[in-house]
Amino acid sequence: MGKGTDKLYITHSEWASEDAYSASAGSGVSKSTVPGASFKRLPFNFCAVSLQPFEHPVCTADGTIFDLTNILPWLKKHGTNPVTGLPLRSNELIKLHFAKNEDEDMVDPVTFKVFTDNTHIVALKNTGNVFAWDTVERLNIKAKMWRDLVSDEEFSRKDIITLQDPQNVGSRDLSSFKYIQDGVSTLTEEQKKERNDPSRNVNTEALGNAARVLKAKEAVARARELRAGGDPNKHPATPGSKALTSTRNGTTAQIGSHTTKQVPYNAAQHTTGKAAASFTSTGLTPHTSGERALLTDEEYMLKPRRVKIKGYARIQTSLGDLNIELQTEYAPRAVWNFVQLSKKGYYKDVAFHRNIRNFMLQGGDPTGTGKGGTSVWGKNFQDEFDGPLTHDARGMVSMANKGKNTNSSQFFITYRPAKHLDRKHTIFGRVVGGMDTLSRMENAKVTEADNRPVEEIVIQDVVVFLDPFEEFQKAKKEKDEAEKEKEEIVRQGGREDERTTWTGKRVRADGAVVEDGGGGGGVGKYLKAAAVSGNGDGGGAEIIGEWEEELMIEPVKKKVKAAGGFGNFDSW
């Protein structure tokens, strides 16, 4: 009955094999015969190598998306495209620029529609900007306007790269990726070592005392490697690291440490450079550690999306007041410049020197010529286009400039949407009150030569109602004080209610439990109250007499069952 044998049964392996025949198994019955049943789709925002969401997206000419930090090690080792297996060089990769909305979702930069797994997504090869296919088809191809809608650079039809096509999902089928079919691992040596390290896969905080045993084993393993001539710098100890120590017979031994020095909140991405400078110069004090440079409070706050509090100011003019909402999250430098100049009275008695109906109103130049003005730093500062703000409405407040990264003190207010100014002028606010004043400004008479108002429109003063940077510093100070207070409470052993157990015993700072001499709360207070009440006049004798009386009562004897017969039926 068995295959090639005379046994009268079939084993499980024979029953489940492909050449066995039955109604439920065998002959490939367990395998699906439907084409594409093993299809697994890779999401559009995932890297094709790491199979994780990308942070620095790049793509190939055929539209395969990788994360730059993952594809570069692969190319260095293999030099091929991991998806197709064809040769690929790093200079053939195209950097992609995805636009995001306030919720950090990837969107089309023109229509602001959120990308999904069912969106037809394309990119332009020469600029790397990513759009929805509907936008490119409607505004570029059908309109025969072959210019990038974001950077205004020319492109051709062959520069359009399809990143995701809902009608061709097979291009993102994981089962068709060559490196997955070949079973090639994409992990680096460090990642493999980290995964194979059992100590990194265990939550030591949940083990209690067992964590000390694991750390002791790690320390013993490192000591053996050192004695065997291993690398002594494999696990270097940092000066600020906290080591777990055990004290025995008056001696302290370090068991192990993986905690590094806490990084300050205002640490920069670059080091101080002291180590390199002292290495190449004998006139400097030697420094052996690469300490990170510290940013000032101003530099720390002027990072995009760090201060998300909106500011509010009022521009008082000779024709009325304009209330401005300042967009600190996306243009922190421009908002800081405007707020600081306003507080210094820089804009006081400054006239608007340019007024074009149905376009914009420009001012902020103390000289009144349109060629003067300086920033709060005394020099021009860079543009800020990292955000979804556009000139899509009346009353947008933007920085005036003479070209790229030439912002100073001049600004303008739009009278109508001006999409052609996007990504050319930094938007830092919008008018939220005083639209009637803005209409009076637009209707003011101007000269035909230079569009200067006939009757000067003067900025009498700029009042800052809410400084977002002061609010940010105030909130951070309160948070730091709360953390310090919490650390102080932990250092002193906790709060009063945390130092008392449910039985009324007190817990010392070292963790020892002691009896509470006072009338503390808990169950113990009732026992002590009974003991105290027993020492009163006359009360003690009554209690003792009652207790002795109970002791004198003869216990009830157990009835002995008769040895034979039916016995007495009285108990029935």
Side-chain angles (χ1 to χ4, degrees):
M1 187 173 183
K3 292 190 301 183
T5 63
D6 57 352
K7 59 181 182 287
L8 301 179
Y9 59 89
I10 298 178
T11 63
H12 177 271
S13 59
E14 293 173 343
W15 182 270
S17 63
E18 294 185 2
D19 55 350
Y21 294 90
S22 75
S24 59
S27 188
V29 176
S30 59
K31 296 185 178 181
S32 177
T33 58
V34 180
S38 61
F39 173 78
K40 291 183 180 180
R41 182 177 182 179
L42 181 69
F44 77 94
N45 60 335
F46 275 50
C47 172
V49 176
S50 64
L51 306 182
Q52 298 294 326
F54 53 67
E55 295 182 0
H56 309 284
V58 294
C59 76
T60 59
D62 58 355
T64 307
I65 305 178
F66 302 102
D67 193 304
L68 186 62
T69 57
N70 296 320
I71 189 59
L72 288 181
W74 174 277
L75 295 178
K76 186 177 179 180
K77 183 177 180 181
H78 302 279
T80 60
N81 188 328
V83 175
T84 61
L86 300 176
L88 179 65
R89 297 192 301 269
S90 58
N91 57 1
E92 298 176 0
L93 299 176
I94 303 168
K95 184 178 180 181
L96 300 178
H97 304 285
F98 281 90
K100 295 184 179 181
N101 58 11
E102 295 181 356
D103 298 330
E104 294 298 319
D105 296 327
M106 298 180 184
V107 298
D108 182 276
V110 178
T111 62
F112 291 100
K113 291 184 179 179
V114 179
F115 290 154
T116 64
D117 289 337
N118 299 319
T119 306
H120 193 167
I121 305 173
V122 297
L124 300 184
K125 184 177 181 180
N126 56 337
T127 62
N129 294 324
V130 182
F131 302 91
W133 166 252
D134 296 338
T135 302
V136 176
E137 183 182 26
R138 185 173 66 254
L139 300 180
N140 291 116
I141 298 177
K142 291 184 178 180
K144 296 182 179 180
M145 197 275 293
W146 299 97
R147 303 188 72 89
D148 192 309
L149 299 174
V150 174
S151 62
D152 203 31
E153 297 183 20
E154 293 186 359
F155 70 95
S156 59
R157 185 183 290 270
K158 64 180 181 180
D159 293 330
I160 301 177
I161 301 175
T162 301
L163 302 181
Q164 176 179 261
D165 186 1
Q167 305 298 328
N168 183 23
V169 294
S171 61
R172 304 191 65 82
D173 184 8
L174 289 175
S175 60
S176 64
F177 289 4
K178 181 171 177 53
Y179 77 96
I180 294 180
Q181 295 175 350
D182 297 341
V184 181
S185 175
T186 60
L187 299 177
T188 62
E189 295 297 330
E190 296 179 356
Q191 292 173 336
K192 291 180 180 179
K193 189 174 183 181
E194 183 176 352
R195 288 195 176 186
N196 295 330
D197 189 358
S199 63
R200 294 184 178 271
N201 299 326
V202 178
N203 184 9
T204 56
E205 296 181 357
L207 293 180
N209 294 332
R212 298 188 177 185
V213 178
L214 293 178
K215 293 182 178 180
K217 288 184 177 181
E218 294 178 8
V220 171
R222 288 198 301 271
R224 288 178 178 175
E225 289 183 1
L226 291 176
R227 287 196 299 268
D231 185 7
N233 296 324
K234 185 176 182 180
H235 297 282
T238 57
S241 61
K242 299 178 181 178
L244 178 64
T245 58
S246 63
T247 305
R248 184 179 297 174
N249 299 330
T251 61
T252 303
Q254 182 175 352
I255 295 179
S257 172
H258 290 286
T259 307
T260 57
K261 185 178 180 180
Q262 185 177 3
V263 180
Y265 75 94
N266 58 342
Q269 297 297 327
H270 57 276
T271 63
T272 58
K274 294 181 178 180
S278 62
F279 180 75
T280 57
S281 175
T282 57
L284 298 177
T285 304
H287 290 270
T288 57
S289 62
E291 299 177 355
R292 294 170 65 175
L294 299 181
L295 303 175
T296 62
D297 290 340
E298 178 181 336
E299 294 173 338
Y300 176 74
M301 291 188 297
L302 295 187
K303 294 292 183 181
R305 291 185 172 87
R306 178 156 290 164
V307 180
K308 299 185 178 181
I309 304 173
K310 294 183 179 180
Y312 293 92
R314 172 177 291 172
I315 302 178
Q316 300 174 354
T317 70
S318 56
L319 294 182
D321 298 339
L322 296 174
N323 295 331
I324 307 297
E325 182 184 70
L326 304 176
Q327 306 293 334
T328 318
E329 183 177 359
Y330 304 111
R333 290 183 176 273
V335 173
W336 174 273
N337 178 69
F338 181 79
V339 169
Q340 298 305 320
L341 291 179
S342 300
K343 287 184 175 181
K344 291 168 55 178
Y346 187 86
Y347 294 118
K348 188 176 293 187
D349 299 329
V350 175
F352 288 98
H353 61 273
R354 192 180 179 201
N355 187 11
I356 303 176
R357 181 178 297 180
N358 204 28
F359 182 32
M360 64 87 197
L361 172 71
Q362 182 176 344
D365 179 11
T367 64
T369 61
K371 300 179 180 179
T374 181
S375 68
V376 69
W377 299 284
K379 59 181 180 180
N380 296 335
F381 61 94
Q382 61 190 12
D383 298 323
E384 295 170 298
F385 300 143
D386 187 15
L389 301 178
T390 58
H391 299 83
D392 57 351
R394 177 183 175 90
M396 302 303 295
V397 185
S398 302
M399 295 299 300
N401 56 44
K402 295 175 288 186
K404 185 177 180 181
N405 299 329
T406 57
N407 301 293
S408 57
S409 64
Q410 296 189 39
F411 61 92
F412 65 90
I413 306 173
T414 60
Y415 290 139
R416 55 164 291 178
K419 300 292 291 184
H420 64 283
L421 300 180
D422 292 347
R423 302 189 67 83
K424 295 180 181 178
H425 295 270
T426 300
I427 303 172
F428 68 93
R430 64 188 181 95
V431 178
V432 294
M435 287 298 181
D436 53 343
T437 302
L438 193 63
S439 298
R440 288 194 294 270
M441 292 178 174
E442 184 178 7
N443 296 326
K445 294 183 179 180
V446 297
T447 60
E448 296 182 359
D450 53 359
N451 295 309
R452 180 181 293 272
V454 176
E455 295 182 4
E456 286 191 345
I457 305 175
V458 181
I459 301 176
Q460 297 173 350
D461 197 5
V462 179
V463 181
V464 179
F465 292 138
L466 178 62
D467 188 344
F469 302 101
E470 288 184 356
E471 295 295 324
F472 178 80
Q473 289 179 330
K474 182 180 178 181
K476 187 179 182 306
K477 183 178 180 182
E478 293 176 355
K479 182 180 178 181
D480 293 342
E481 290 178 354
E483 291 180 354
K484 288 181 181 179
E485 182 180 355
K486 185 177 180 181
E487 292 176 358
E488 182 66 20
I489 292 174
V490 174
R491 189 181 65 83
Q492 294 179 358
R495 297 185 177 88
E496 185 67 25
D497 55 345
E498 295 174 348
R499 294 198 295 266
T500 306
T501 65
W502 67 276
T503 58
K505 298 180 181 180
R506 293 177 59 84
V507 182
R508 294 193 307 206
D510 57 356
V513 180
V514 296
E515 295 287 347
D516 192 354
V523 179
K525 66 179 183 180
Y526 300 106
L527 301 177
K528 295 172 186 175
V532 173
S533 62
N535 295 330
D537 295 338
E542 292 179 3
I543 296 176
I544 294 175
E546 184 179 351
W547 181 258
E548 290 178 352
E549 188 177 7
E550 292 178 358
L551 293 177
M552 295 301 295
I553 298 175
E554 185 177 358
V556 180
K557 294 182 179 180
K558 186 177 181 181
K559 294 181 180 181
V560 181
K561 186 177 181 180
F566 292 101
N568 189 3
F569 293 96
D570 294 341
S571 60
W572 282 33

